[in-house]
Amino acid sequence: MLCAFPATGKAQEWLRSKDSHAWAKFQTESWKSVRVSHSLLDESGNVTSEVVTLTTTELLETSRNQFTLSVESTVKIGEQQVNHSKQRIKREINVKGEGFSDVVETATIKIGDYEMPVEVFTVQYSTKKGKRHSKIYSSKETMPSVLRRETVFTNKKGEVEYKTTSNVVEYGITKEILGKQMQVSRVVTVHEQNGSKTRTDELFCDEVPGGIIAQEISQTNSEGVLTSKTLLSLIDYGIGSSNNNPR
């Protein structure tokens, strides 16, 4: 999914340092390989088509203010390879973008048995089509650092065109990852637009480059019928130059 990122650009959310970033905190040459399958479904829930993408992402460079990734992907339909791509992605880290507020309040978020103090700030961004407003709950002590995000986009008429909510719903749970017991968090994001709904349920582990180790995305139409499903699974990963990248 990193392939959807622009080659350069500012981070969508401000992070205090590279230690808060799921990629930039690692040594260079750290990498991760994932498998993503995207399936379209008919009204009965049967798969009508499936596209599989195998992606390996490697951290090439990192500094206080930015990081650079190499992303290599192979797309398959059935047994046939239909596309292969490789690109470099450079992103900024601790730069506040347009519309970022100072901290507007402090609060406490409770997740299971954990109570996390958070700082709350807002991000407003205007375009020719309307205005996007986000409220972000950020912790200095956790990874992921953003524990909650609420975003609403309104058009020029003041009508809500879409809204997105994201919450860490489980924190510090133990899962087996490639044969090793590790601590993970579960993040659920719901995006609603034009009557359709996209729900993303993912596991995040701060010991793995990029953080996300598993993900399920389900999309339903305005009638509540499931139309597509995307599954991401971790294949392998390595930390720094001591681990051989399979590429």
Side-chain angles (χ1 to χ4, degrees):
M1 296 185 181
L2 283 170
C3 295
F5 286 6
T8 60
K10 293 185 177 180
Q12 292 180 339
E13 291 174 350
W14 173 62
L15 299 170
R16 292 178 179 81
S17 71
K18 71 176 188 177
D19 294 333
S20 300
H21 194 278
W23 273 106
K25 63 177 287 189
F26 287 94
Q27 305 170 40
T28 56
E29 299 186 39
S30 295
W31 58 275
K32 176 175 68 174
S33 293
V34 299
R35 179 185 188 273
V36 179
S37 66
H38 178 70
S39 302
L40 297 179
L41 310 175
D42 62 20
E43 294 182 355
S44 300
N46 300 312
V47 175
T48 58
S49 67
E50 181 183 37
V51 176
V52 174
T53 305
L54 304 175
T55 300
T56 297
T57 306
E58 181 181 0
L59 179 64
L60 299 180
E61 300 171 348
T62 182
S63 67
R64 180 177 176 272
N65 296 320
Q66 61 183 234
F67 66 100
T68 303
L69 300 175
S70 168
V71 182
E72 187 168 358
S73 297
T74 299
V75 179
K76 295 182 177 180
I77 298 178
E79 298 300 319
Q80 182 179 3
Q81 178 178 319
V82 297
N83 186 45
H84 181 83
S85 64
K86 186 175 182 179
Q87 62 177 313
R88 290 169 63 97
I89 298 171
K90 181 178 288 187
R91 300 299 296 269
E92 295 181 357
I93 302 171
N94 63 342
V95 178
K96 282 189 177 182
E98 178 185 350
F100 279 75
S101 73
D102 292 326
V103 175
V104 295
E105 63 179 287
T106 58
T108 299
I109 289 181
K110 184 175 176 60
I111 305 172
D113 295 329
Y114 295 91
E115 290 189 359
M116 289 89 154
V118 294
E119 295 178 337
V120 185
F121 60 95
T122 61
V123 182
Q124 294 192 67
Y125 181 70
S126 297
T127 69
K128 294 180 178 180
K129 294 183 178 181
K131 181 182 294 185
R132 184 183 68 192
H133 180 275
S134 297
K135 191 173 184 179
I136 297 170
Y137 300 73
S138 178
S139 169
K140 296 180 180 179
E141 309 297 333
T142 65
M143 281 289 288
S145 59
V146 175
L147 299 180
R148 181 180 299 165
R149 184 195 306 107
E150 303 162 353
T151 298
V152 175
F153 183 87
T154 53
N155 60 27
K156 292 295 186 179
K157 297 179 180 179
E159 301 165 332
V160 175
E161 291 202 354
Y162 70 76
K163 60 180 180 179
T164 306
T165 58
S166 181
N167 289 281
V168 176
V169 297
E170 293 182 271
Y171 184 83
I173 56 178
T174 301
K175 293 285 186 181
E176 183 176 310
I177 304 171
L178 302 178
K180 181 181 178 181
Q181 297 293 317
M182 303 174 78
Q183 297 292 307
V184 305
S185 298
R186 180 174 167 227
V187 185
V188 175
T189 302
V190 177
H191 176 83
E192 298 176 81
Q193 184 172 6
N194 297 326
S196 66
K197 180 181 293 186
T198 302
R199 185 180 189 274
T200 303
D201 194 333
E202 62 192 22
L203 293 179
F204 179 97
C205 178
D206 67 354
E207 297 181 60
V208 176
I212 298 173
I213 59 170
Q215 188 181 69
E216 178 176 327
I217 303 174
S218 301
Q219 185 165 8
T220 54
N221 61 21
S222 59
E223 297 177 349
V225 177
L226 183 65
T227 57
S228 69
K229 181 172 287 189
T230 302
L231 298 174
L232 177 148
S233 58
L234 178 67
I235 298 173
D236 202 357
Y237 71 97
I239 308 297
S241 59
S242 60
N243 287 270
N244 293 326
N245 190 314
R247 294 179 298 142

